[in-house]
Amino acid sequence: VPGGPVPIKLLSFNATKQNKVVNLNWQTSTEVNSNYFDVEFSKNGVDWSSIGIVNAAGSSSTTRSYSLVHKSPVNSINYYRLKQVDNDGKYEYSLIRTVKFKTDNSITVMPNPTTDRLFITSNTPGRLQSLTMISDQGQQVYSTTNFLLGNSIDMRSYAPGIYILKIVDKDG
């Protein structure tokens, strides 16, 4: 065979979102002198880092299945590729796969305007990292950390006016 045998014949490489993790699965049909797969991740498709090493079969002429779970994907586009490394140190990259996570944090502040209580709710329950209320003169008039969504702020003690809320959710 001119150039020698192909070290790894990759049949498939898939990245699928499952809840808050990404399942990475791939199959080979042939492996010759294969050492390991370095599963690489990128937030931008340019800068890559290893998220796990999976040992290869070494030599195989049957279909082999491999997998790895990425437990901390980013809330954006996640890029994945396989670095297929042989025993002699040579390597080859797979095609890149992407999985997109988006923030579905819809925060509601109501009623607006109000003269009583201001309720802050979200379709994602939990706590905010911080909540700050600033007057139209730029003064901080209220600030808290770990605000529980669904709770309210008593606005009766504040002068009538326009207030700006700075809300930082649990993901920053």
Side-chain angles (χ1 to χ4, degrees):
V1 178
V6 176
I8 297 175
K9 174 108 169 96
L10 194 63
L11 281 177
S12 64
F13 173 47
N14 298 303
T16 52
K17 179 171 33 171
Q18 182 181 8
N19 298 323
K20 296 186 181 223
V21 301
V22 175
N23 288 320
L24 301 156
N25 299 285
W26 61 100
Q27 287 187 320
T28 62
S29 61
T30 307
E31 294 182 41
V32 177
N33 199 29
S34 61
N35 191 347
Y36 62 90
F37 298 92
D38 187 354
V39 183
E40 295 185 343
F41 161 74
S42 174
K43 296 177 185 177
N44 57 17
V46 177
D47 304 306
W48 295 88
S49 59
S50 175
I51 58 169
I53 301 288
V54 177
N55 290 326
S59 292
S60 172
S61 57
T62 61
T63 301
R64 298 280 185 153
S65 297
Y66 300 92
S67 65
L68 185 98
V69 176
H70 186 206
K71 295 181 181 173
S72 53
V74 294
N75 238 346
S76 181
I77 299 174
N78 296 266
Y79 299 85
Y80 299 97
R81 71 182 181 188
L82 295 176
K83 182 178 182 181
Q84 306 160 80
V85 183
D86 298 339
N87 285 326
D88 58 10
K90 291 181 184 173
Y91 60 89
E92 187 174 289
Y93 289 110
S94 70
L95 292 174
I96 295 171
R97 299 291 182 247
T98 59
V99 174
K100 184 175 183 177
F101 281 83
K102 64 178 182 144
T103 313
D104 286 335
N105 287 5
S106 164
I107 295 175
T108 305
V109 179
M110 62 181 207
N112 185 12
T114 186
T115 56
D116 191 8
R117 299 194 81 72
L118 189 63
F119 291 89
I120 301 164
T121 60
S122 173
N123 62 344
T124 307
R127 295 184 178 277
L128 298 173
Q129 270 188 38
S130 66
L131 185 140
T132 306
M133 189 165 57
I134 302 163
S135 71
D136 57 356
Q137 286 84 36
Q139 294 176 319
Q140 180 177 308
V141 295
Y142 177 83
S143 182
T144 186
T145 57
N146 290 319
F147 183 88
L148 184 61
L149 288 161
N151 284 354
S152 63
I153 300 171
D154 187 351
M155 296 300 293
R156 291 176 292 189
S157 59
Y158 298 100
I162 296 172
Y163 294 92
I164 298 165
L165 287 178
K166 179 181 176 190
I167 297 172
V168 179
D169 71 7
K170 64 182 180 230
D171 297 324

